[in-house]
Each structure stands twice: as C-alpha cells, then as structure tokens.
Amino acid sequence: MTPERYAKILRVLSKRQPTLTVLMDEVNKPHNLSAIVRTCDAVGVLQAHAVPPRGGRLVDFDGHTFEATSGSAHKWVPVQKHEGAVGAVRDLQAQGFQVLATHLSQRSVDYREVDYTRPTCVLLGAEKWGVGDEAADAADHNIIIPMFGMVQSLNVSVAAATILFEAQRQRLAAGMYDAPQLSEAELRRWAFEWAYP
Ligand code: SAM
C-alpha cells in the first residue's frame, strides 16, 4: 500500500454517505447488480443491501458475478444480504432510514419531490415483477420516474442511477460531501478494511 493509494482511500471515504443506500429486491441479472453497485460507488453509498433472487440462479454477492461490469466497484461497496424484502424494509426503517419504494401505486410521487438529505434507502425491484406490494406498502414513500414513452418501465440500473444522482444533487447542494459523514473512528476502520482486504 503506497501512501498515495492510502490518501486516495481516505479521500474517497471522506465523501461516503452512510445515510444513503439501496435495497435490491431480487434483482437477478448480474449486469444490473453490477451497474447498480457501480453507481452506488460513484455517488458515495457506503453499503448496499439485497434480497437474493429466490430459486433459479443464485447471484454471488461476494464478488465474482460483479466483476464483468462493476469495474471493481463491488470491492468498495459491500452488499449486505437480507432474507426478505419486508423484513429488510423494517430493519432499515428501525435504523432511521426512510425507505422509498420505486413502485407505481395510488400514493406514488415524482422521485424529485423527496428529500434525499434525510437518511434514505431506495428500494429497487426485480426485473420481471418489480417491487412486491407488501414491501411497497411498508415503505415510507412510493416514487416513480415519470415516463412518456411506449415502454412501461426503465431498466432497473438506469432507474437506480437516475434516483441516486438526484440524491447526490440534493446532498451536494446541502454540503453533505464537504465534510466527512463518517466519524473519525469509522473512517479509519473502513480505510483499514479497504487497504488490507
Ligand atoms: N414489470 C415490472 C413492474 O411492473 O414493476 C417492471 C420492473 S422494472 C423493469 C425493474 C425495476 O426498475 C422496478 O422495480 C423499479 O425498481 C425500477 N424502475 C423501472 N422503471 C421505473 C420508473 N419509471 N420509476 C421508478 N422505478 C423504475
């Protein structure tokens, strides 16, 4: 580990946003998972969350299937696994996160109407069936990216990027990237983990 590399690690960690995260609910295509994690790294998500897809092919959250498209981002954004979406939503709410389900419902609002400077988790749904109704009901808000085309939905990684960069925009305006959001002790602990994995 060179001093320059360690300085870069500290620089990146000083921008990390421990109060911004995503919960991927059975997102099952490795290239989508990779692209979401790569966006998480870019906006400063410290840790992501996922409910692994049921049945079928298991996605390797420990790294291998991320490699092709994440550009190694999976090394810098650990993904914590959960058993089910509703339980994960409640866990994250208990930790103080508002959960925003990307879901079309009676109570959906435009994703730009939400305050992302609050501790926020964006719940993303599976490619085929989206966010389940129960998890969407348990979420604090349902949000949508308005669309005016013939196709009904965006690719999940595109939706994630659109919303996370709105969160980044609001947090930049609020000065949340100007000073470390991690405590000194947390910053040193993460730096050690990144430097000596
Ligand atoms: N047939 C599914 C449905 O009815 O929800 C489509 C799922 S879409 C391909 C996969 C995921 O991308 C969604 O669960 C959501 O997380 C995200 N997504 C796609 N389009 C979106 C939009 N316009 N607004 C918000 N999220 C969107």
Side-chain angles (χ1 to χ4, degrees):
M1 173 69 44
T2 63
E4 292 76 20
R5 179 79 175 159
Y6 194 68
K8 177 165 183 186
I9 285 176
L10 289 179
R11 245 191 345 268
V12 170
L13 281 170
S14 75
K15 305 278 186 204
R16 278 296 196 247
Q17 306 285 305
T19 57
L20 180 63
T21 191
V22 297
L23 169 58
M24 298 172 278
D25 180 15
E26 301 198 40
V27 174
N28 63 72
K29 294 192 175 153
H31 62 269
N32 284 337
L33 283 159
S34 296
I36 295 168
V37 170
R38 191 166 177 162
T39 300
C40 284
D41 177 61
V43 302
V45 167
L46 183 68
Q47 298 187 84
H49 300 263
V51 178
R54 71 191 101 132
R57 186 160 47 113
L58 258 191
V59 174
D60 177 2
F61 287 96
D62 300 322
H64 305 299
T65 54
F66 284 127
E67 278 168 22
T69 45
S70 75
S72 85
H74 63 278
K75 292 185 196 158
W76 317 115
V77 185
V79 179
Q80 191 183 324
K81 280 184 249 183
H82 296 262
E83 294 284 314
V86 178
V89 168
R90 299 213 194 288
D91 279 358
L92 287 154
Q93 287 169 329
Q95 290 170 41
F97 287 90
Q98 62 170 345
V99 176
L100 311 177
T102 52
H103 185 72
L104 184 61
S105 71
Q106 297 272 7
R107 65 182 182 119
S108 299
V109 295
D110 184 312
Y111 75 105
R112 288 159 292 204
E113 287 176 25
V114 177
D115 178 4
Y116 294 89
T117 63
R118 290 181 53 197
T120 298
C121 172
V122 180
L123 170 56
L124 300 158
E127 291 86 345
K128 268 202 182 141
W129 50 79
V131 173
D133 286 338
E134 221 189 321
D137 287 347
D140 298 270
H141 299 284
N142 288 183
I143 57 170
I144 47 155
I145 302 162
M147 294 178 56
F148 305 105
M150 295 288 284
V151 179
Q152 280 188 339
S153 64
L154 295 166
N155 169 278
V156 63
S157 67
V158 172
T162 304
I163 295 163
L164 286 173
F165 277 96
E166 169 63 12
Q168 187 211 55
R169 187 191 69 77
Q170 291 189 13
R171 284 171 174 246
L172 275 168
M176 292 175 77
Y177 290 90
D178 296 344
Q181 302 288 304
L182 290 167
S183 70
E184 186 63 30
E186 285 168 331
L187 206 139
R188 296 280 157 200
R189 182 175 67 76
W190 280 95
F192 187 80
E193 280 184 24
W194 283 15
Y196 307 103

